[in-house]
């Protein structure tokens, strides 16, 4: 698989289809994102589920791709992207964070093992260039466990989970969809600053609420959490609800506008599900 | 035992619902005294954080009242509210807070009696649910007393 | 366009987390956690996530400064170096080598500390070198050497995850070593018992099975109480004691007096709680002790440390995975700075300066005669400067004007010097007093190694070019040594320095840059084939006879106790959101947003009695000085105790602290002094 990717990357670079390729590089046994501009270096190109190639830089709060595009607007960047990364790119473009016109996506499929490891429901990109599609994993024991809890048990569960929070902002920092310049999580008016644990449930609630319709379920937030708070569980549930309510999924269709940015006329809400409101 | 008297916070939009509440008062229509009103320019101004802040600061229930769909002073403000609150209710449920502690209703400036009816219904619903468990968590963290005034 | 990620080691606490610095065309744009790092595993704390921001601060020093009548003026490197060389020469000629004192830095790399140590001993000709380890873990080095023969964390951070019981005494782990707290919480989720002994209700107390809230400064009594319960119940590990230790009879004789009733009188910990906690610790298969400055920064610091070692040996919790006595070191490279011999009594690898064979080895390697007498420690240096015995000081990357106890005294001492050279990345409170300031570079602009609290030696890699004319500390030291005429400071790179370190330091013997490129190594690592040592004292202790030693320790009261005039106990420490003297964190926007300035924690009952409200400014006074500071009313402290974080120059806790020293380790008593609170009229922030 990696051989095919390197070959295609070489072809893209040699045919001047792109000026650079954004992918992972191996160095001394460590993997990290790297911008390949030289075909001679492609031998160190790797793929791994460890890193996602779409993340926001701090403190500028600018997506890495948009930062590169701003630095050199003329550079066309190829990007090796899995399903989740493709979804992130689409959603970012939809929200005017990056210019997809100047990028070329090399969509690759995840293996079955990778899909199981990430509990990913859609382990392939829409525009598959390399690899074989495998079945997604719809079962998530964390989600089932939460749904089986009574309302009181749920509160107790999250109370414990949130009280572990050490306010590293890692979930926000790792999230490709958290790019607001003025982040509400930082504002003392919502969460009193300087305290551990941060106000329960407000601090983490802000992210759940803001990312609910943007989340492309890459799981980076959960992986960045030093105290193992199962953040993705909630995002997966919200995603189901948003799909039921609006027939909308983040990161799938470039032309479909997000439900919270549209009126009821443009994107109606299913009445039967919204009953009680 | 003293009967539980819930604290209810109502966000009312300036153009319809607040006037509806006003009309209820002027018309001497009775409604439970448990409700406290915060006037906002539009129900679309109500951020989900406001609702959670209210609940964690001691409210037992939150009402969000706006103009009927089609009557919004800002044309589409209440469309956003409708969608946002639908998602918020579900999120509250997953977090372990009864979704029915949050209610969104449309009340026009002419609907004083509707305002009264909603408040009455909602108050008895919250009485049935009992005190909001979240306020104890946020305010009585075992290790941290955030502010002596609370 | 060039975009790359440079793997490096976090410059904040001693946990030694790994992250990438993201660089686009020579500009730092962010931090990316390293997912395959053994400790941080792709996670970081708030300080780590923002560790790149201060690097590009406009406050950075970019040119050498020389103080003239009109204040600081910019100078060339040549002028600055020759001025210092000339002054140092003059000073040596008229006052002798022991008129110098050097402060090395726990923030700098191993190579730089080694060079500073070599410069002090070989070029200046004195052993007057020390660094801030004196102020944090001097008691650990002295205490654990007496008990175990080695003064470092016995086990590894990751092993904590598999412990059955974790006893935390005097460490606010979740705030000061967040990524270590990660493993404590994981252990807890696997069913481990957690015992927290701390006068403050620290964050981890939420998860503790037992929180023993002792009166500050009574740790020896608490630990002796644990041991008396264990011995009384017969829960000690008799085989371990017999085979691996000596001195048990002496210990028994001492601790038997510390009955739970007696301990309750001293410490105010309810006796039943103490008994339950002691039994829980003793019955655990793998029990780990974690401690930090809460027990070391006392006049009884060494006693406290020895008592933790006694407790661990009594229950056989040494020399196995997930057990041990684990001091958490506060600075990224305080372990390394000690290992490199930036201490007045030892060369690198804790080889004594008074041992003739060792001295001969170093004299031979450095081709120079070396001083024999151990030098002065940090606080002693300040006292000697006051007396006029120390005339010139060279301070690298330290800020004693905030970090040392009784700052008023430090200011007088530094002012009474004839010549002060400071080498730093910012014009710190200390640098402002200097005659010459050398602009150094941050961790992002140089290469080297840091040694984390678990003895893990890791690479620091250069991500960007030095700002302006600033230079790496190792280069500055070499340049200065050469300006002073030494021929022994010709290194092309830090790797060459490390080769010299390994040739002279047995515990670092097998460490090379080539090996470190692929991951860190835990010392002792004596040879090129040795894989490193995750936990110490496996078969025998590092003491000469291979046995662990029990030492009976009696409880002593702190040097200054509250009285009618000063009725409160003042204790100091850090917060989650700032680091040490704030030089780096106070130049980081998000951290400043979280905690913009200092505060004093006052218990609600005390606040009520004194009619103090939240946010009001109060005057805190001790026998050393007074500061005006915002009040924070919280149950984190109990009645009669106040707490102040020491990061903030405008309300510096160390104006107040007591410079009374531990008699052996010479560590000051930051954690207990007597204070009073006064209201300041009309300054409420509301």
């Amino acid at each position: 698989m990696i051989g095919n990717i390197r070959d295609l990357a070489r072809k893209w670079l040699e045919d001047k289809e792109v000026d650079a390729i954004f992918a992972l590089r191996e160095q001394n046994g460590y993997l990290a994102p790297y911008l390949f501009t030289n075909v001679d270096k492609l031998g160190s190109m790797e793929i791994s589920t460890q890193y996602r190639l779409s993340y926001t830089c701090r403190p500028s709060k600018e997506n890495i791709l948009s930062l590169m595009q701003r630095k050199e607007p003329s550079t066309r960047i190829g990007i090796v992207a899995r399903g989740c990364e493709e979804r992130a790119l689409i959603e970012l473009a939809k929200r005017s964070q990056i210019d997809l016109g100047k990028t070329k996506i090399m969509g690759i499929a995840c293996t079955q093992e990778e899909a199981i490891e990430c509990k990913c429901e859609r382990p392939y990109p829409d525009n598959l260039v390399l690899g074989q599609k495998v079945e997604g994993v719809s079962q998530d024991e964390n989600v089932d466990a939460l749904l089986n809890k009574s309302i009181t048990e749920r509160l107790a569960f999250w109370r414990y989970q949130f009280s572990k929070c050490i306010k590293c902002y890692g979930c926000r920092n790792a999230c490709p969809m958290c790019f607001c310049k003025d982040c509400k999580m930082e504002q003392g008016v919502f969460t009193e600053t300087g305290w551990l644990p941060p106000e329960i449930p407000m601090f983490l609630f802000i992210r759940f609420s803001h990312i609910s319709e943007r989340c492309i379920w890459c799981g980076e937030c959960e992986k960045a959490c030093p105290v193992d708070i199962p953040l993705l569980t909630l995002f997966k549930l919200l995603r189901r609800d948003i799909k039921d309510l609006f027939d909308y999924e983040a990161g799938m269709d470039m032309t479909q506008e997000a439900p919270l940015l549209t009126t009821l006329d443009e994107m109606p809400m299913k009445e039967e599900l919204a009953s009680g409101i | 035992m003293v009967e539980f008297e819930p604290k209810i916070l109502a966000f009312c939009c300036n153009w319809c619902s607040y006037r509806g509440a006003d009309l209820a008062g002027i018309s001497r229509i009775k409604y439970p005294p448990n409700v406290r009103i915060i006037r906002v320019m539009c129900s679309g101004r109500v951020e989900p954080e406001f609702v959670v802040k209210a609940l964690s600061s001691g409210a037992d229930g939150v009402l969000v009242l706006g103009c009927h769909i089609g009557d919004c002073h800002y044309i589409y403000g209440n469309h956003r509210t409708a969608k946002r609150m639908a998602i918020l209710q579900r999120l509250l449920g997953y977090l372990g807070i009864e979704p029915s502690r949050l209610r969104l209703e449309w009340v026009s400036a002419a609907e004083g009696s509707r305002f009264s009816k909603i408040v009455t219904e909602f108050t008895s619903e919250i009485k049935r649910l009992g005190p909001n468990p979240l306020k104890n968590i946020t305010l009585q963290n075992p290790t941290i007393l955030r502010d002596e005034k609370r | 366009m060039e975009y790359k990620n440079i793997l490096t080691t976090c410059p904040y606490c001693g946990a030694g987390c790994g992250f990438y610095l993201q660089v686009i065309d020579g500009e730092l744009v962010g931090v990316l956690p390293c997912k395959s790092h053994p400790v941080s595993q792709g996670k970081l704390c708030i300080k780590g996530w923002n560790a790149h921001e201060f690097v590009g601060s406009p406050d950075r020093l970019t040119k050498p400064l020389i103080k003239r009548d009109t204040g600081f003026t910019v100078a060339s490197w040549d002028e600055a170096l020759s001025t210092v060389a000339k002054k140092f020469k003059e000073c040596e000629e008229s006052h002798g080598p022991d008129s110098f004192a050097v402060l090395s830095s726990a923030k700098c790399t191993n190579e730089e500390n080694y060079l500073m140590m070599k410069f002090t001993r070989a070029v200046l000709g004195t052993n007057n070198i020390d660094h801030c380890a004196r102020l944090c873990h001097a008691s650990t080095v002295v205490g654990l050497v007496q008990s175990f023969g080695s003064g470092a964390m016995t086990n590894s951070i990751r092993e904590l995850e598999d412990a059955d019981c974790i006893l935390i005494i005097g460490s606010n782990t979740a705030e000061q070593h967040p990524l270590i707290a990660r493993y404590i919480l994981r252990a807890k989720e696997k069913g481990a018992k957690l015992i927290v002994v701390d006068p403050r209700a620290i964050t981890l107390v939420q998860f503790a099975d037992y929180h023993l809230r002792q009166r500050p400064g009574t740790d020896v009594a608490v630990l002796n109480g644990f041991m008396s319960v264990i011995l009384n119940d017969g829960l000690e590990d008799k085989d371990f004691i017999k085979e691996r230790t000596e001195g048990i009879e002496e210990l028994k004789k001492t601790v038997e007096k510390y009955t739970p009733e007696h301990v309750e009188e001293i410490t105010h910990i309810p006796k039943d709680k103490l008994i339950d906690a002691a039994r829980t610790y003793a019955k655990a298969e793998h029990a780990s002790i974690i401690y930090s400055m809460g027990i070391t920064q006392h006049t009884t610091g060494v006693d406290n440390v020895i008592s933790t070692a006694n407790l661990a040996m009594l229950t056989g919790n040494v020399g196995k995975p997930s057990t041990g006595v684990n001091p958490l070191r506060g600075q990224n490279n305080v372990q390394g700075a000690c290992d490199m011999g930036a201490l007045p009594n030892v060369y690198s690898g804790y080889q004594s300066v008074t041992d003739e064979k060792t001295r001969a080895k170093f004299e031979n390697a450095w081709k120079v005669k070396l001083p024999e007498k151990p030098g002065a420690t940090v606080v002693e240096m300040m006292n000697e400067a006051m007396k006029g015995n120390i005339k010139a000081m060279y301070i690298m990357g330290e800020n004693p004007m905030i970090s040392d106890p009784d700052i008023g005294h430090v200011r007088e001492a530094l002012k009474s010097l004839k010549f002060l050279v400071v080498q730093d990345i910012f014009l710190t409170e200390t640098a402002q007093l200097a005659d010459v300031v050398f602009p150094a570079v941050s961790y992002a602009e140089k290469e080297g190694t840091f040694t984390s609290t678990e003895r893990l030696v890791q690479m620091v890699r250069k991500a960007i070019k030095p700002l302006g004319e600033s230079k790496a500390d190792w280069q500055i030291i070499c340049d200065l040594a050469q300006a002073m005429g030494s021929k022994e400071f010709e290194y092309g790179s830090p790797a060459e320095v490390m080769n010299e370190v390994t040739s002279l330091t047995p515990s670092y013997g097998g460490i090379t840059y080539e090996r470190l490129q692929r991951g860190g190594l835990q010392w002792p690592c004596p040879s090129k084939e040795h894989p490193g040592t995750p936990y110490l004292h496996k078969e025998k202790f590092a003491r000469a006879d291979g046995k662990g030693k029990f030492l009976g320790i009696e409880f002593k009261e702190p040097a200054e106790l509250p009285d009618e005039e000063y009725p409160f106990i003042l204790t100091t420490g850090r917060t989650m959101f700032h680091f040490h003297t704030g030089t780096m964190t106070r130049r980081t926007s998000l951290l400043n947003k979280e905690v913009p300035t200092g505060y004093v924690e006052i218990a609600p009952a005390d606040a009520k009695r004194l009619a103090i409200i939240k946010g009001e400014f109060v005057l805190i006074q001790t026998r050393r000085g007074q500061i005006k500071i915002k009040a924070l009313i919280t149950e984190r402290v109990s009645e009669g105790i106040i707490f102040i974080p020491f990061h903030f120059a405008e309300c510096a806790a160390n104006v107040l602290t007591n410079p009374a020293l531990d008699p052996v380790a010479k560590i000051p008593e930051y954690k207990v002094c007597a204070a009073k609170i006064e209201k300041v009229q009309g300054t409420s922030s509301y």
Side-chain angles (χ1 to χ4, degrees):
Chain A
M1 178 76 172
I2 182 63
N4 298 344
I5 293 170
R6 286 177 192 157
D7 289 346
L8 190 58
R10 174 181 299 274
K11 190 167 175 304
W12 282 11
L13 281 173
E14 282 173 351
D15 295 353
K16 296 264 183 277
E17 283 190 57
V18 295
D19 303 306
I21 298 221
F22 191 34
L24 295 180
R25 176 173 71 152
E26 189 265 350
Q27 229 186 351
N28 297 316
Y30 290 91
L31 294 177
Y34 183 72
L35 191 68
F36 291 87
T37 48
N38 186 340
V39 286
D40 300 336
K41 288 201 172 154
L42 289 175
S44 60
M45 186 184 270
E46 284 295 337
I47 49 168
S48 163
T49 51
Q50 261 184 3
Y51 295 91
R52 304 277 176 275
L53 288 175
S54 179
Y55 42 86
T56 315
C57 296
R58 310 277 156 183
S60 64
K61 298 179 180 168
E62 196 168 0
N63 186 272
I64 180 65
L65 264 181
S66 104
L67 199 62
M68 290 183 195
Q69 288 181 338
R70 192 167 55 78
K71 285 246 169 195
E72 268 183 34
S74 61
T75 308
R76 283 161 308 145
I77 298 173
I79 174 165
V80 179
R82 291 168 188 275
C84 53
E85 288 163 308
E86 188 203 54
R87 293 194 291 273
L89 294 172
I90 289 174
E91 196 61 21
L92 284 165
K94 205 193 276 181
R95 289 166 190 272
S96 311
Q97 297 299 308
I98 55 167
D99 183 355
L100 270 191
K102 279 185 276 179
T103 52
K104 190 171 160 81
I105 301 175
M106 191 190 292
I108 61 166
C110 296
T111 63
Q112 193 67 61
E113 296 76 57
E114 287 167 345
I116 291 167
E117 182 199 322
C118 291
K119 287 182 260 178
C120 182
E121 289 179 36
R122 211 183 140 86
Y124 46 84
D126 235 18
N127 179 17
L128 186 64
V129 178
L130 287 169
Q132 281 290 314
K133 256 189 206 180
V134 296
E135 274 300 298
V137 182
S138 52
Q139 196 75 13
D140 185 332
E141 64 271 22
N142 284 350
V143 170
D144 299 340
L146 185 73
L147 289 177
N148 284 331
K149 284 183 165 67
S150 72
I151 198 102
T152 327
E153 286 167 344
R154 288 181 194 177
L155 187 63
F157 174 74
W158 289 114
R159 178 194 186 165
Y160 166 71
Q161 293 295 342
F162 289 0
S163 64
K164 292 191 292 185
C165 177
I166 56 165
K167 216 175 183 187
C168 68
Y169 290 89
C171 50
R172 182 201 70 173
N173 294 351
C175 177
M177 290 304 142
C178 276
F179 46 71
C180 300
K181 292 274 186 280
D182 205 1
C183 178
K184 236 184 223 179
M185 290 169 93
E186 294 175 13
Q187 290 171 10
V189 71
F190 291 106
T191 313
E192 195 172 340
T193 52
W195 277 109
L196 283 191
E199 197 168 311
I200 298 169
M202 182 59 87
F203 184 70
L204 290 165
F205 168 82
I206 292 173
R207 242 191 107 252
F208 290 133
S209 166
H210 288 200
I211 304 302
S212 59
E213 56 147 16
R214 301 187 204 172
C215 176
I216 44 90
W217 15 288
C218 63
E220 280 298 282
C221 50
E222 195 171 293
K223 287 180 192 155
C225 182
V227 290
D228 307 323
I229 302 174
L231 300 163
L232 194 56
T233 309
L234 266 181
F235 282 118
K236 280 191 171 174
L237 284 162
L238 286 172
R239 176 175 158 267
R240 283 185 201 176
D241 285 345
I242 286 167
K243 195 170 177 208
D244 288 347
L245 279 170
F246 306 104
D247 205 14
Y248 172 87
E249 280 184 281
M252 304 299 268
D253 184 352
M254 191 60 204
T255 57
Q256 199 184 16
E257 280 224 64
L260 292 184
L261 301 177
T262 49
T263 66
L264 285 169
D265 308 332
E266 289 159 340
M267 183 183 278
M269 183 159 67
K270 291 203 181 144
E271 286 300 324
E272 67 271 25
L273 275 154
S275 63
I277 298 255
Chain B
M1 208 181 91
V2 189
E3 201 194 348
F4 164 60
E5 285 299 339
K7 282 187 191 161
I8 289 165
L9 193 71
F11 290 101
C12 294
C13 89
N14 180 56
W15 306 101
C16 296
S17 315
Y18 192 80
R19 290 173 192 209
D22 215 18
L23 183 65
I26 292 167
S27 319
R28 305 282 194 274
I29 304 172
K30 271 196 174 174
Y31 61 83
N34 304 60
V35 69
R36 276 87 161 156
I37 294 176
I38 291 181
R39 176 160 59 165
V40 288
M41 288 310 285
C42 175
S43 60
R45 177 66 187 88
V46 181
E47 301 171 19
E49 289 77 11
F50 292 4
V51 174
V52 171
K53 194 77 184 174
L55 290 171
S56 59
S57 308
D60 297 294
V62 178
L63 276 172
V64 178
L65 306 179
C67 307
H68 289 275
I69 295 292
D71 292 347
C72 178
H73 191 79
Y74 306 99
I75 309 181
Y76 293 121
N78 52 5
H79 288 226
R80 309 274 167 103
T81 318
K83 292 179 170 186
R84 206 180 282 159
M85 293 303 146
I87 297 174
L88 174 60
Q89 265 200 334
R90 283 156 180 80
L91 176 50
L92 289 178
Y94 299 138
L95 287 173
I97 303 157
E98 293 90 347
S100 44
R101 290 190 187 275
L102 165 66
R103 190 147 154 190
L104 172 69
E105 290 286 357
W106 312 132
V107 175
S108 80
E111 293 175 325
S113 55
R114 179 170 159 81
F115 175 82
S116 150
K117 186 169 155 265
I118 288 167
V119 171
T120 311
E121 270 177 28
F122 190 62
T123 307
S124 65
E125 164 71 6
I126 298 297
K127 273 190 183 169
R128 191 184 63 76
L129 283 175
N132 158 27
L134 187 62
K135 60 185 167 187
N136 295 330
I137 288 179
T138 312
L139 301 183
Q140 292 173 16
N141 190 302
T143 61
I144 296 166
L145 188 81
R146 285 160 201 274
D147 185 335
E148 83 279 14
K149 281 179 304 192
R150 280 178 185 163
Chain C
M1 180 171 31
E2 191 191 32
Y3 170 74
K4 56 186 177 179
N5 280 285
I6 309 294
L7 182 62
T8 192
T9 305
C10 182
Y12 284 113
C13 80
C17 301
F19 58 66
Y20 294 98
L21 285 171
Q22 304 178 43
V23 184
I24 294 186
D25 289 340
E27 186 195 334
L28 269 186
V29 295
V31 159
L32 194 68
C34 173
K35 306 232 178 177
S36 50
H37 190 274
V39 175
S40 54
Q41 301 181 332
K43 300 131 206 299
L44 291 173
C45 77
I46 186 167
K47 293 184 287 269
W49 271 107
N50 294 283
H52 59 303
E53 202 181 324
F54 73 87
V55 171
S57 163
D59 299 345
R60 278 283 302 274
L61 293 171
T62 52
K63 287 188 166 85
L65 301 173
I66 296 181
K67 196 178 265 164
R68 304 182 212 269
D69 298 340
T70 51
F72 282 118
T73 51
V74 171
S76 70
W77 271 107
D78 281 346
E79 190 190 357
L81 286 166
S82 60
T83 308
V84 174
K86 192 168 136 247
K87 286 275 185 186
F88 276 3
K89 279 251 147 79
E90 280 171 20
C91 189
E92 197 199 333
E93 277 157 23
S94 42
H95 306 288
D98 284 336
S99 63
F100 289 111
V102 174
L103 288 182
S104 197
S105 174
K107 278 263 153 293
C108 291
T109 63
N110 287 326
E111 292 74 7
E112 288 160 349
N113 277 289
Y114 173 81
L115 287 180
M116 196 56 145
M117 181 285 281
K118 181 174 172 183
F119 176 80
T120 310
R121 295 190 160 120
V123 179
L124 297 178
T126 177
N127 279 324
N128 288 343
I129 177 167
D130 206 358
H131 69 284
C132 71
R134 184 67 49 202
L135 311 175
C136 58
H137 274 296
S139 342
T140 299
V141 176
V142 173
L144 290 187
V145 164
Q146 287 182 37
S147 301
F148 297 158
S150 169
M153 182 163 169
T154 59
N155 291 57
S156 297
I157 294 169
R158 270 172 307 165
E159 289 174 13
L160 285 170
E161 188 174 340
D162 299 314
D164 304 307
C165 175
I166 299 176
L167 167 63
I168 304 176
I169 177 163
S171 161
N172 186 358
T173 321
E175 297 199 37
Q176 302 339 326
H177 299 89
L179 268 291
I180 298 179
R182 160 181 169 77
Y183 294 96
I184 297 171
L185 285 172
R186 284 174 80 95
K188 183 74 193 136
E189 283 176 1
K190 286 184 181 178
K193 296 281 183 211
L194 183 61
I195 305 170
V196 175
V197 183
D198 203 303
R200 287 175 76 220
I202 55 170
T203 307
L204 277 177
V205 164
Q206 297 179 93
F207 310 102
D209 296 281
Y210 301 97
H211 177 206
L212 309 183
R213 221 167 172 170
Q214 83 277 38
R215 176 166 65 91
T218 60
D219 308 275
V220 168
V222 179
L223 294 165
N224 279 350
F226 266 68
M227 288 184 269
S228 90
V229 172
I230 290 166
L231 285 166
N232 199 31
D233 290 7
L235 293 171
E236 72 271 26
D237 186 337
K238 295 180 185 72
D239 294 343
F240 184 90
I241 293 168
K242 198 170 142 221
E243 282 159 31
R244 308 251 345 236
T245 67
E246 59 189 37
I248 183 69
E249 290 312 316
E250 185 202 332
L251 181 82
K252 279 185 178 165
K253 229 183 327 176
T254 312
V255 301
E256 69 184 8
K257 289 171 279 188
Y258 292 84
T259 58
E261 293 75 18
H262 184 42
V263 173
E264 180 169 346
E265 277 167 35
I266 302 173
T267 64
H268 305 166
I269 295 172
K271 65 174 199 289
D272 295 338
K273 246 178 145 175
L274 180 90
I275 294 170
D276 287 350
R279 285 179 181 154
T280 306
Y281 175 82
K283 285 178 184 162
E285 179 78 6
H286 297 275
S288 197
I289 299 176
I290 289 175
Y291 74 79
S292 198
M293 267 142 266
I295 68 165
T296 60
Q297 289 176 335
H298 289 280
T299 46
T300 54
V302 176
D303 291 353
N304 292 337
V305 170
I306 291 175
S307 300
T308 60
N310 284 341
L311 177 59
M313 287 192 292
L314 190 67
T315 48
N317 279 310
V318 191
K320 293 189 290 185
S322 308
T323 62
V325 177
N326 299 296
L328 303 183
R329 317 276 324 227
Q331 301 268 15
N332 55 339
N333 198 32
V334 65
Q335 183 66 51
C338 291
D339 296 347
M340 290 302 114
L343 296 169
N345 58 335
V346 287
Y347 300 114
S348 58
Y350 307 96
Q351 305 175 82
S352 173
V353 296
T354 52
D355 180 63
E356 279 186 28
K357 250 166 82 187
T358 307
R359 199 166 59 242
K361 178 170 89 174
F362 281 88
E363 284 177 343
N364 211 17
W366 297 346
K367 304 185 186 71
V368 66
K369 185 96 186 86
L370 292 173
E372 294 163 21
K373 185 170 86 32
T377 60
V378 172
V379 180
E380 288 170 333
M381 282 178 194
M382 297 301 167
N383 293 340
E384 291 302 307
M386 263 317 239
K387 286 188 213 152
N389 295 333
I390 283 175
K391 305 279 185 195
M393 263 183 106
Y394 182 12
I395 299 177
M396 168 170 82
E398 292 223 335
N399 192 5
M401 279 295 295
I402 294 193
S403 64
D404 287 17
D406 194 359
I407 296 171
H409 176 76
V410 174
R411 181 195 309 273
E412 290 309 310
L414 293 178
K415 279 191 168 167
S416 65
L417 290 170
K418 281 204 164 150
F419 195 61
L420 174 63
V421 183
V422 173
Q423 178 172 320
D424 211 308
I425 59 172
F426 293 111
L427 196 65
T428 60
E429 291 73 10
T430 306
Q432 285 165 22
L433 300 176
D435 296 291
V436 176
V437 181
F438 290 141
V441 300
S442 71
Y443 74 105
E445 299 145 82
K446 64 185 174 192
E447 197 178 33
T449 56
F450 288 157
T451 305
S452 79
T453 185
E454 52 172 354
R455 299 168 277 105
L456 183 69
V457 185
Q458 303 185 93
M459 290 294 297
V460 179
R461 293 182 182 84
K462 185 173 171 175
I464 54 167
K465 284 208 298 269
L467 257 65
E469 292 173 25
S470 59
K471 282 191 199 176
D473 294 271
W474 68 270
Q475 275 173 324
I476 303 174
I477 299 166
C478 291
D479 289 351
L480 184 61
Q482 282 166 16
M484 291 184 71
S486 174
K487 296 271 179 290
E488 290 300 310
F489 282 81
E490 277 153 23
Y491 302 95
S493 69
E496 290 175 21
V497 182
M498 184 49 98
N499 290 342
E500 185 174 316
V501 173
T502 50
S503 71
L504 291 167
T505 316
S507 54
Y508 276 66
I511 292 175
T512 62
Y513 271 38
E514 206 186 346
R515 290 184 77 186
L516 291 177
Q517 294 291 3
R518 301 197 73 85
L521 284 166
Q522 282 175 294
W523 68 259
C525 177
S527 67
K528 297 265 188 294
E529 297 74 36
H530 195 282
T533 312
Y535 60 94
L536 301 174
H537 317 306
K538 191 175 175 183
E539 262 119 34
K540 60 185 182 59
F541 283 95
R543 290 175 71 247
D545 61 1
K547 298 233 173 186
K549 188 163 174 63
F550 285 112
L551 293 158
I553 303 288
E554 296 287 356
F555 164 69
K556 291 192 211 75
E557 288 283 358
E560 190 179 72
L561 288 172
D563 51 27
E564 258 172 41
E565 201 185 351
Y566 296 96
F568 286 90
I569 296 180
L570 165 67
T571 184
T572 66
R574 293 182 188 163
T575 84
M576 168 85 182
F577 303 97
H578 281 286
F579 193 80
H580 231 64
T581 69
T583 312
M584 305 187 305
T585 52
R586 296 196 80 191
R587 291 182 170 88
T588 304
S589 51
L590 183 57
L591 300 175
N592 267 338
K593 213 165 173 178
E594 288 288 344
V595 180
T597 184
Y599 52 84
V600 53
E601 291 185 357
I602 302 174
D606 290 328
K608 202 169 167 195
R609 197 161 40 77
L610 297 166
I612 293 164
I613 59 161
K614 186 196 177 193
E616 176 180 348
F617 275 97
V618 292
L619 199 65
I620 309 289
Q621 286 178 303
T622 68
R623 292 188 172 84
R624 270 72 52 193
Q626 60 179 49
I627 59 171
K628 214 170 92 176
I629 191 167
K630 258 189 188 180
L632 191 107
I633 320 299
T634 169
E635 283 175 350
R636 278 161 79 113
V637 287
S638 41
E639 225 177 312
I641 297 170
I642 55 175
F643 170 84
I644 304 179
F646 73 94
H647 316 287
F648 308 95
E650 67 277 17
C651 44
N654 283 327
V655 167
L656 308 169
T657 47
N658 188 1
L661 301 181
D662 180 288
V664 194
K666 313 283 184 195
I667 193 169
E669 189 146 62
Y670 287 108
K671 295 297 182 205
V672 185
C673 73
K676 67 176 166 189
I677 310 174
E678 265 175 36
K679 272 176 83 82
V680 185
Q681 292 304 323
T683 56
S684 169
S685 66
Y686 288 122

